[in-house]
Amino acid sequence: MKLTDSVLQSFRVAKVFRKNSDKINCFDFSPNGETVISSSDDDSIMLYDCQEGKPKRTLYSKKYGVDLIRYTHAANTVVYSSNKIDDTIRYLSLHDNKYIRYFPEHSKRVVALSMSPVDDTFISGSLDKTIRLWDLRSPNCQGLMHLQGKPVCSFDPEGLIFAAGVNSEMVKLYDLRSFDKGPFATFKMQYDRTCEWTGLKFSNDGKLILISTNGSFIRLIDAFKGVVMHTFGGHANSKAVTLEASFTPDSQFIMIGSEDGKIHVWNGESGIKVAVLDGKHTGPITCLQFNPKFMTFASACSNMAFWLPTIDD
């Protein structure tokens, strides 16, 4: 089944899970698309089975809180940042609910975390104005970049380069093998004082970068030239909430939630809005991602919703 405008317009909420007492701040699909794991401001980690459409188990991180949860490549292990007490990143085995390793060193809250798509490397960005490069096998930071402002960062789909969005006004591209030499490309954007950048993602084909903001627009830029291809807007975000924007796995469409519980979908090439879907969410849709392998996506406020298409195109 191919994603088309009409298939996207046909998506409806198939299941809603009301397991969390506070907002879900992050979720991540496993690489095989079979499970999704969420972190919430209520300190819980929830694991869902995507194929059966049901919750599998719940773990807690009461002392440190949990945010920015990400699957690693090994089955049943995740990394996540803390939102209480300290700014350490934790590497957790879901199998026995034990920590495998800690990654300290950041001195302020971690606001970006990206796992390499190919190996055990990951990067973290913090309000301490640094990006750190890590390897799951070592507690020591493998690389450090000092920046001029708050960073957002992400790996490209081949794991060879990573992008850092700095100070909500420029994107810097680094080669992983020689990042200490500085960025090989810098794209300066028009600085917008009304909002700040909250996220940055590459499309699966590596050609596009999506910049999320806490304002009422998101930007799509060419990953090679740095030119802004489209600015998408019209989704409600009056309270400057961090709303996650995502690509569909085929890199063709861009989607974001809004504070009124609706999901807006655009065609990345034409820039035209193709769908507005009502998820009946009770709060802002803070998290939204398409399953990497199956024709389904998930959206979350304090509730988690699984969506399915209702037509076969």
Side-chain angles (χ1 to χ4, degrees), residues 119 121 123 133 155 159-162 174-179:
D119 60 22
T121 316
I123 48 174
L133 180 68
F155 278 100
L160 297 172
I161 65 171
F162 63 88
Y174 294 86
D175 185 313
L176 199 61
R177 291 153 302 194
S178 57
F179 67 88

Side-chain angles (χ1 to χ4, degrees), residues 206-249:
K207 294 175 181 170
L208 304 164
I209 294 173
L210 182 59
I211 296 169
S212 316
T213 74
N214 63 1
S216 54
F217 67 90
I218 53 179
R219 285 215 175 100
L220 186 67
I221 69 169
D222 181 302
F224 303 107
K225 303 190 195 94
V227 294
V228 176
M229 313 213 3
H230 296 291
T231 299
F232 303 117
H235 53 283
N237 190 13
S238 62
K239 298 186 180 70
V241 179
T242 296
L243 305 171
E244 180 180 24
S246 291
F247 288 100
T248 50

Side-chain angles (χ1 to χ4, degrees), residues 243-300:
L243 305 171
E244 180 180 24
S246 291
F247 288 100
T248 50
D250 61 6
S251 307
Q252 302 298 309
F253 298 94
I254 286 96
M255 46 206 306
I256 191 169
S258 60
E259 67 184 6
D260 58 9
K262 292 188 171 65
I263 290 169
H264 297 248
V265 188
W266 294 269
N267 181 307
E269 201 167 342
S270 68
I272 293 167
K273 190 175 286 188
V274 296
V276 179
L277 306 168
D278 192 352
K280 305 277 193 287
H281 278 282
T282 50
I285 299 176
T286 40
C287 307
L288 176 69
Q289 278 179 44
F290 219 95
N291 188 303
K293 297 288 187 234
F294 301 106
M295 190 59 83
T296 172
F297 68 84
S299 59

Side-chain angles (χ1 to χ4, degrees), residues 70-286:
R70 303 278 185 257
Y71 273 108
T72 68
H73 298 287
N76 273 332
T77 60
V78 292
V79 288
Y80 66 83
S81 65
S82 322
N83 51 17
K84 293 165 141 178
I85 296 192
D86 66 12
D87 307 292
T88 298
I89 297 162
R90 289 176 166 75
Y91 178 23
L92 176 71
S93 163
L94 302 173
H95 170 66
D96 49 10
N97 196 17
K98 288 201 167 68
Y99 292 117
I100 303 167
R101 196 159 283 117
Y102 304 101
F103 306 94
E105 301 196 40
H106 278 300
S107 60
K108 285 188 178 165
R109 184 165 170 175
V110 173
V111 290
L113 197 58
S114 177
M115 193 75 215
S116 162
V118 295
D119 60 22
D120 284 339
T121 316
F122 68 97
I123 48 174
S124 58
S126 159
L127 295 177
D128 63 15
K129 298 183 183 175
T130 65
I131 288 176
R132 289 178 182 270
L133 180 68
W134 309 89
D135 187 308
L136 284 174
R137 294 161 296 196
S138 162
N140 304 320
C141 174
Q142 308 290 306
L144 172 63
M145 276 140 289
H146 289 279
L147 304 160
Q148 295 301 302
K150 174 192 160 182
V152 287
C153 54
S154 184
F155 278 100
D156 84 316
E158 287 169 349
L160 297 172
I161 65 171
F162 63 88
V166 189
N167 224 17
S168 302
E169 61 181 341
M170 63 183 83
V171 175
K172 294 174 180 282
L173 299 181
Y174 294 86
D175 185 313
L176 199 61
R177 291 153 302 194
S178 57
F179 67 88
D180 46 345
K181 295 189 174 71
F184 65 83
T186 299
F187 310 136
K188 205 155 168 25
M189 311 272 144
Q190 198 179 345
Y191 181 59
D192 189 314
R193 295 198 187 303
T194 62
C195 62
E196 59 175 33
W197 294 0
T198 52
L200 180 149
K201 287 181 185 178
F202 280 89
S203 57
N204 271 345
D205 61 10
K207 294 175 181 170
L208 304 164
I209 294 173
L210 182 59
I211 296 169
S212 316
T213 74
N214 63 1
S216 54
F217 67 90
I218 53 179
R219 285 215 175 100
L220 186 67
I221 69 169
D222 181 302
F224 303 107
K225 303 190 195 94
V227 294
V228 176
M229 313 213 3
H230 296 291
T231 299
F232 303 117
H235 53 283
N237 190 13
S238 62
K239 298 186 180 70
V241 179
T242 296
L243 305 171
E244 180 180 24
S246 291
F247 288 100
T248 50
D250 61 6
S251 307
Q252 302 298 309
F253 298 94
I254 286 96
M255 46 206 306
I256 191 169
S258 60
E259 67 184 6
D260 58 9
K262 292 188 171 65
I263 290 169
H264 297 248
V265 188
W266 294 269
N267 181 307
E269 201 167 342
S270 68
I272 293 167
K273 190 175 286 188
V274 296
V276 179
L277 306 168
D278 192 352
K280 305 277 193 287
H281 278 282
T282 50
I285 299 176
T286 40

